[in-house]
Amino acid sequence: MITGRTLLRKPLPPLDIGPYHTTSSALHEGRFLGTLHNWPDFFQDVKQFENNQDWSPSLLGWSLQSRRVDAEFVAIGDEHGLQGRFQQSVGQVVGSVLNAQNIAVKFGDSKSANIASVYSGYTLTPDVALISTDPVDIDQIQAMWELKSPWVNEHKFKKYPTAQRKAKLFAQLIGYMLDLQLRYGFISTYDSTVFLRQVFKNGEWVVEYSPVVEASFDGSDTMGNEPPSPRQCFAYLSSLKKMQ
């Protein structure tokens, strides 16, 4: 049996990408014209979050020596399929851990969040929402996130090495964050993820971005130099408060 802390440390199971799939880029036109910076000490912050948690002893999963029970056996070929696999491997797993830790948020799609309280009549549909389960602000959006298909070449993060290029890659997500007054977000292909936050520095709001977090990262090295797992990063970001 597996506890929540162990679940978060596991890498994401590789996607089962079907032989037939979409091929066009889903990046929107536009470019973020504000200031972009690296998110300093992001990996260290994630590890500190884990080490500071009073971990629940609840058993949240299981394993079999003969086979992996979390391996992917659902083929995907478009972004809708990707959203389903993301919610299964990240939203469901991380959500169960957050619940066990009494962190009052859950994953959902944007239609399940109370967007109208922030932006009445908002018609855009981001892919993933982090939603409050706290009675004080039940169903309020905490963060908004965007998914892109990993098999499309234009979506690969290595094609955007400079700040100028990243301003195009992040533009759609930052637009959602600004529209909905959200401090945190992420853009992900499932295989690779970058986390964003807005911070006020030197008299202006700037956007900081994390290092790329690969789906294959194993988070067992919580004290050393190895990067944390994607689920550890999602749990950390989910624990942060929305921008007031």
Side-chain angles (χ1 to χ4, degrees), residues 46-162:
V46 174
K47 292 182 179 183
Q48 192 64 45
F49 161 76
E50 175 174 339
N51 292 328
N52 287 344
Q53 283 289 302
D54 181 14
W55 289 98
S56 168
S58 300
L59 300 177
L60 302 179
W62 63 91
S63 62
L64 299 175
Q65 291 185 351
S66 59
R67 61 178 292 186
R68 288 186 58 185
V69 297
D70 61 345
E72 283 289 326
F73 295 102
V74 177
I76 62 172
D78 64 13
E79 194 172 292
H80 293 292
L82 177 65
Q83 291 173 21
R85 304 327 299 153
F86 174 87
Q87 291 288 27
Q88 174 65 29
S89 293
V90 176
Q92 181 68 19
V93 175
V94 176
S96 68
V97 177
L98 296 173
N99 181 67
Q101 294 301 115
N102 295 314
I103 298 174
V105 290
K106 63 182 177 182
F107 289 71
D109 56 56
S110 60
K111 293 296 186 182
S112 66
N114 183 11
I115 292 178
S117 64
V118 179
Y119 194 132
S120 179
Y122 197 63
T123 59
L124 301 180
T125 54
D127 296 321
V128 181
L130 188 71
I131 305 167
S132 174
T133 60
D134 190 323
V136 174
D137 57 356
I138 190 75
D139 296 329
Q140 296 294 307
I141 300 171
Q142 305 294 297
M144 192 66 76
W145 302 334
E146 190 65 19
L147 296 172
K148 302 296 180 186
S149 304
W151 54 83
V152 175
N153 192 48
E154 288 80 3
H155 297 167
K156 297 184 184 302
F157 294 165
K158 65 182 180 181
K159 292 178 63 68
Y160 303 88
T162 66

Side-chain angles (χ1 to χ4, degrees), residues 29-46:
E29 293 297 325
R31 184 182 304 276
F32 176 59
L33 299 179
T35 304
L36 285 172
H37 288 307
N38 290 315
W39 185 332
D41 302 321
F42 176 79
F43 285 163
Q44 290 81 357
D45 290 346
V46 174

Side-chain angles (χ1 to χ4, degrees), residues 10-16 68 70-72 89 190-191 215 231:
K10 290 180 173 294
L12 300 183
L15 293 170
D16 183 353
R68 288 186 58 185
D70 61 345
E72 283 289 326
S89 293
Y190 184 98
D191 288 347
R231 287 170 177 160

Side-chain angles (χ1 to χ4, degrees), residues 9 42-44 46-47 211-214 216-222 224-230 232-233:
R9 291 177 175 179
F42 176 79
F43 285 163
Q44 290 81 357
V46 174
K47 292 182 179 183
V212 176
V213 181
E214 302 293 350
S216 59
F217 285 174
D218 183 303
S220 58
D221 181 20
T222 59
N225 296 322
E226 294 300 316
S229 75
Q232 287 171 315
C233 295

